[in-house]
Amino acid sequence: MISPSSQAAVGVLLSGGLDSGILVGHLLSQGVGVQPFYIRSGLHWEAAELSAARKFLDAIACDALQQLVVLALPLQDLYQGHWSLTGRAVPDADSPDEAVYLPGRNALLIIKAALWCQLHGISRLALAPLGNNPFDDASCEFFDSLQTALNHMGQQPIEILRPFSDRSKHAVMQLGRDLPLALTFSCIAPRDGRHCGDCNKCAERQAAFRHAAIVDPTPYLHRSADESAA
C-alpha cells in the first residue's frame, strides 16, 4: 500500500466508480494526501459520472483531499460511431468484459494525468485496476513500460502505483464498505443521471455488492429479478 510522504499529494485517476472511489477513500484513511483527476473524453455517460464523482468527493472531503482537477481528452475523432459516444447498442448485462473495452484509453488517461503531475510537482500517480483485470493494458508489463516512457519525457520522474493490483473485487469492496458507495457511479447507459440497471457495468456493480454481502443502495431504473429478490 502507498505510504504517506512529505509530498503534498498522490495523484489518483478517479472514474467515479467503485474501485477508484474506494482507492481515494482508503488513501485518505491512511494519511496520504490525494489529488484526484477526472478526464473528460466526450463519452456518453460522462455527465452523470462526473456529477457523481463530485458528490462522492464532497462527502469524504478533508484537509488531505485536494480539489478535483478535470482534464479534457476528446476521443470523438478516434471513436467515431462507437457505442461509447453514441449511447446506442451499449453492451448489456449478458455481454463479456471484452465488449466494454475501449482501445488505448488506459494509456491516454495515464499520460494526460501523469504529465499534469510532473508539471505540478507530484511524483506518484495511483490507479485502481484489480488483480483479475483481463486486459493487456492492465498488466505489470504495460505499466512498467509506460512508466519508463513517461520518465524519458524530460520532466521530473513519476511512479505509477497500482495498490489494488493484488486484490479481488470482494476485497476492495470490504475495504470501502464504510464509504458512501451509493454516491459512486458505474453505468455506461445512464438515463436522467441514473443507473440503467441493464448494462454490462450495472450488472458488474450489482454483483460486486452481492458478493461482498453489502446492501446495494443504488437506485437502478431496472433491477434484475435476482437482484430484486436479494
Side-chain angles (χ1 to χ4, degrees):
M1 186 48 69
I2 301 172
S3 62
S5 77
S6 59
Q7 296 167 320
V10 172
V12 176
L13 271 171
L14 176 67
S15 69
L18 289 166
D19 301 335
S20 62
I22 291 171
L23 176 57
V24 170
H26 184 64
L27 291 178
L28 293 173
S29 75
Q30 299 299 301
V32 178
V34 172
Q35 172 58 72
F37 298 96
Y38 183 89
I39 300 182
R40 303 193 72 159
S41 298
L43 304 182
H44 175 64
W45 56 84
E46 284 182 351
E49 192 176 66
L50 178 56
S51 176
R54 293 187 188 281
K55 291 175 183 176
F56 179 82
L57 293 175
D58 285 346
I60 63 171
C62 63
D63 290 343
L65 180 61
Q66 306 299 311
Q67 184 175 355
L68 178 67
V69 170
V70 180
L71 301 172
L73 184 67
L75 293 177
Q76 289 91 337
D77 51 353
L78 291 176
Y79 289 0
Q80 292 182 29
H82 195 267
W83 61 264
S84 62
L85 295 176
T86 66
R88 297 190 295 270
V90 173
D92 64 17
D94 296 323
S95 62
D97 288 340
E98 291 76 14
V100 297
Y101 179 71
L102 299 178
R105 183 161 165 79
N106 256 7
L108 293 168
L109 296 181
I110 293 167
I111 291 169
K112 185 89 179 191
L115 184 56
W116 193 99
C117 288
Q118 289 174 311
L119 293 172
H120 292 81
I122 294 176
S123 64
R124 297 180 292 176
L125 176 64
L127 299 82
L130 305 182
N132 62 345
N133 191 303
F135 302 119
D136 287 343
D137 61 359
S139 66
C140 292
E141 294 80 7
F142 170 81
F143 287 109
D144 289 346
S145 297
L146 186 54
Q147 178 176 294
T148 298
L150 288 166
N151 287 324
H152 283 85
M153 291 171 55
Q155 304 299 323
Q156 78 164 53
I158 190 163
E159 184 180 6
I160 298 175
L161 305 171
R162 297 171 295 125
F164 292 166
S165 63
D166 60 349
R167 295 177 184 256
S168 67
K169 188 78 168 187
H170 177 270
V172 170
M173 290 293 289
Q174 293 301 324
L175 200 63
R177 65 181 305 126
D178 294 326
L179 292 169
L181 300 182
L183 300 178
T184 62
F185 195 85
S186 312
C187 183
I188 52 176
R191 304 174 202 174
D192 298 323
R194 293 177 61 189
H195 287 81
C196 70
D198 298 321
C199 72
N200 176 288
K201 288 298 182 180
C202 279
E204 181 182 283
R205 181 184 180 90
Q206 291 168 8
F209 278 101
R210 182 174 67 251
H211 294 157
I214 299 173
V215 174
D216 186 352
T218 311
Y220 302 99
L221 286 173
H222 301 100
R223 190 187 286 261
S224 70
D226 290 344
E227 293 296 328
S228 297

